[in-house]
Amino acid sequence: MSHVHDIFDKIKQRDPAQPEFLQAAWEVIETLEPVIERNPHMRELAVLERILEPERMILFRVPWMDDTGQVQVNRGMRVQFNSALGPYKGGLRFHPSVTLSIIKFLGFEQIFKNALTGRPIGGGKGGSDFDPKGKSDGEVMRFCQSFMTELFRHIGANVDVPAGDIGVGGREIGFLYGQYKRLSRQWEGVLTGKGQGWGGSLIRPEATGYGLVYFVREMLKARGEAIDGRTTVISGSGNVAQYAAEKILDYGGTVVTMSDSSGFIHDPEGIDRAKLDWIMDLKNVRRGRIREYVKEHPGATFHEGKRPWSVPCEIALPCATQNEIDLEDAETLVNNGCFAVAEGANMPSTPRAIEVYEAGRIAYGPGKAANAGGVATSALEMTQNAQFDRWERERVDAELDRIMTEIHAQCADAAAEFGHEGDLFVGANIAGFLKVANAMLDQGVV
Ligand code: NDP
């Protein structure tokens, strides 16, 4: 049995009930065989085994009182996966589907993504099975305060710096930060995605979506293509989806779908800037559902319980959640003429879907590279906080663009070096892994 199969068997035995983590782990290690062959000392020093086991996992109870006076109990967690390159860094997800398996998969991906950004940040992730949807601001605040009352002792500006993810936006970061400050008596850059008036970086809200489209621009450029005049299908209608749509419009592309967990809307005339503003107001201010779009925009249709991949397009940007494109969806995309898929979400494509992209030789930007713009800009926020400084919008955006261009180049170079020309999936894994593995080797057996 090969070295990576042997290791994978061991982690399966250790955590048999963690399907998302096992999926993410296999997707990375299956591509690392040639790297280990070229670097036999990594095998002797058990680098893969160590990288697959989190440095620390914290699980805790989060009790809070709802508006009726009833006490509710959720589970909180933080997985501090790897600190070889810097303080743990990664978002918090509040969603009823959250399990330790999901947080471990996200934390594991985060290690390599953060390495690709070139910034000094390690990998971590956290969250809770709390669902902010349908809760009042007061309930969300009480939950966030209770969550931080335990988490605060495990984080710090040079220890672990959480950010947002699904269900954790500006409102939640504000409540979490307020409680951290109250408990620790420190005004420090301990969270990113903070408000613009109190330590947040300009462009951070836009960064994952904008960065995704900068990455797409580079992927297409390498094939002599461009976004201009092309049709894009986007899933999700949250933070990442909204700003990906905005940047596609900036580059002259057309966006024809957006979705949420109830279904998707299809607007064949295209979601233009005014319509996108309407969606942003619906989702961010009124906290409504995407189906409401069709009442206001009669040319559009709503498809209950469906995902948007059957709508013909040239570019597909999954920006909602994990495993949202399966084998059949991928085949439909390719058969309909889609030639580029780039992942705003983390692990939105199943392993079988990825096989379809590879067989169809379409451009494929895996999440750990394509959506790294968010965490990269979080790292820029940390730099600004540490310097007690605030950079102009143009400066942050230019730096984001530079980082995404560089990530694309690193992935392409690593893929070519290991005989997988043009395969950014393999390239991202290898380039990210080598940075972390070499740092771990330098730091001894820890
Ligand atoms: P938001 O909470 O802002 O938006 C999430 C969107 O995805 C919503 O439209 C939501 O619909 C939809 N969604 C969530 N869960 C499901 C589901 N199970 N099935 C169908 N639709 C679903 O989150 P973000 O935009 O921040 O995150 C989206 C993705 O991007 C996630 O995979 C996240 O990990 C990834 N990501 C985010 C980064 C960031 O900076 N925010 C950075 C890198 C990656 P509904 O409202 O109905 O729940």
Side-chain angles (χ1 to χ4, degrees):
M1 195 190 283
S2 76
H3 181 52
V4 298
H5 279 93
D6 190 32
I7 288 174
F8 189 61
D9 269 6
K10 285 190 191 133
I11 66 163
K12 259 198 313 203
Q13 275 166 25
R14 186 179 276 164
D15 289 311
Q18 296 188 348
E20 295 87 0
F21 171 60
L22 293 173
Q23 180 183 337
W26 179 247
E27 281 184 10
V28 172
I29 66 173
E30 70 161 334
T31 62
L32 297 179
E33 191 98 60
V35 183
I36 304 292
E37 264 167 36
R38 217 183 267 188
N39 298 279
H41 58 295
M42 288 188 180
R43 190 173 175 159
E44 284 146 36
L45 290 165
V47 172
L48 273 183
E49 290 92 325
R50 283 192 279 149
I51 224 168
L52 283 158
E53 183 63 13
E55 290 177 13
R56 194 172 298 102
M57 291 183 271
I58 301 142
L59 293 175
F60 52 96
R61 178 170 70 202
V62 190
W64 57 281
M65 195 174 279
D66 70 19
D67 286 347
T68 69
Q70 176 68 47
V71 172
Q72 304 283 347
V73 180
N74 287 97
R75 175 173 292 172
M77 53 191 92
R78 184 77 183 162
V79 174
Q80 297 180 330
F81 226 118
N82 193 298
S83 61
L85 297 181
Y88 309 105
K89 181 90 197 88
L92 296 170
R93 176 175 290 191
F94 292 168
H95 193 272
S97 65
V98 162
T99 59
L100 186 58
S101 171
I102 287 184
I103 298 302
K104 276 182 68 185
F105 118 62
L106 290 164
F108 184 68
E109 288 277 300
Q110 197 82 46
I111 303 170
F112 308 103
K113 179 188 308 192
N114 293 4
L116 287 171
T117 68
R119 311 297 302 188
I121 41 179
K125 198 84 186 187
S128 172
D129 56 0
F130 172 75
D131 187 359
K133 274 205 289 290
K135 304 286 190 303
S136 70
D137 286 351
E139 289 176 323
V140 171
M141 183 179 75
R142 290 193 293 280
F143 172 81
C144 287
Q145 290 178 339
S146 182
F147 184 87
M148 187 52 87
T149 300
E150 175 58 35
L151 187 68
F152 95 98
R153 66 187 91 245
H154 307 289
I155 62 176
N158 294 312
V159 179
D160 183 352
V161 184
D165 188 77
I166 292 178
V168 179
R171 173 182 62 170
E172 289 76 15
I173 292 289
F175 295 149
L176 290 163
Y177 190 75
Q179 186 72 351
Y180 177 84
K181 190 165 56 66
R182 184 188 196 186
L183 292 167
S184 67
R185 299 182 298 138
Q186 299 281 332
W187 202 107
E188 58 175 3
V190 70
L191 291 166
T192 55
K194 297 187 290 299
Q196 303 293 334
W198 45 277
S201 176
L202 289 164
I203 298 288
R204 177 60 189 91
E206 296 89 339
T208 308
Y210 280 16
L212 173 67
V213 178
Y214 295 149
F215 193 90
V216 171
R217 183 197 63 206
E218 293 304 302
M219 276 194 342
L220 296 193
K221 205 197 282 174
R223 293 174 170 237
E225 296 275 0
I227 296 168
D228 187 23
R230 298 301 191 176
T231 298
T232 302
V233 160
I234 295 182
S235 67
S237 50
N239 173 265
V240 180
Q242 292 171 14
Y243 290 106
E246 183 169 288
K247 194 47 80 179
I248 287 284
L249 297 183
D250 283 351
Y251 280 116
T254 305
V255 177
V256 290
T257 67
M258 288 185 92
S259 73
D260 61 24
S261 45
S262 321
F264 77 91
I265 53 117
H266 177 205
D267 189 338
E269 290 161 18
I271 300 168
D272 61 17
R273 226 158 258 283
K275 293 172 182 174
L276 183 59
D277 284 346
W278 188 91
I279 292 176
M280 287 184 174
D281 183 67
L282 172 78
K283 297 307 274 189
N284 309 343
V285 181
R286 288 179 281 142
R287 297 190 186 270
R289 309 299 299 158
I290 199 73
R291 69 169 78 229
E292 294 168 48
Y293 183 91
V294 298
K295 278 189 236 145
E296 197 72 16
H297 306 95
T301 47
F302 176 66
H303 304 261
E304 174 101 40
K306 296 252 165 50
R307 300 184 289 211
W309 314 122
S310 59
V311 174
C313 65
E314 281 103 16
I315 301 168
L317 303 180
C319 297
T321 194
Q322 64 274 0
N323 292 329
E324 54 169 319
I325 301 185
D326 61 18
L327 169 75
E328 223 170 274
D329 297 323
E331 283 174 345
T332 308
L333 281 168
V334 174
N335 291 339
N336 281 342
C338 174
F339 59 69
V341 177
E343 299 178 337
N346 286 307
M347 207 170 73
S349 308
T350 64
R352 304 289 298 280
I354 296 170
E355 283 168 18
V356 174
Y357 308 150
E358 295 194 329
R361 305 198 71 76
I362 70 170
Y364 168 49
K368 67 172 72 64
N371 71 36
V375 75
T377 308
S378 277
L380 302 178
E381 183 171 324
M382 289 164 71
T383 305
Q384 292 169 71
N385 291 164
Q387 296 174 339
F388 280 91
D389 197 4
R390 184 167 161 78
W391 300 350
E392 299 295 323
R393 191 180 164 84
E394 293 69 25
R395 178 174 175 190
V396 183
D397 197 18
E399 189 64 6
L400 169 64
D401 194 336
R402 188 193 64 72
I403 292 171
M404 296 313 296
T405 304
E406 173 65 19
I407 291 175
H408 177 269
Q410 280 178 62
C411 297
D413 291 351
E417 193 191 329
F418 283 84
H420 291 267
E421 191 93 38
D423 187 336
L424 300 175
F425 174 69
V426 170
N429 286 345
I430 293 178
F433 172 76
L434 279 172
K435 288 187 187 196
V436 183
N438 287 329
M440 288 173 73
L441 290 170
D442 288 347
Q443 292 169 21
V445 178
V446 291

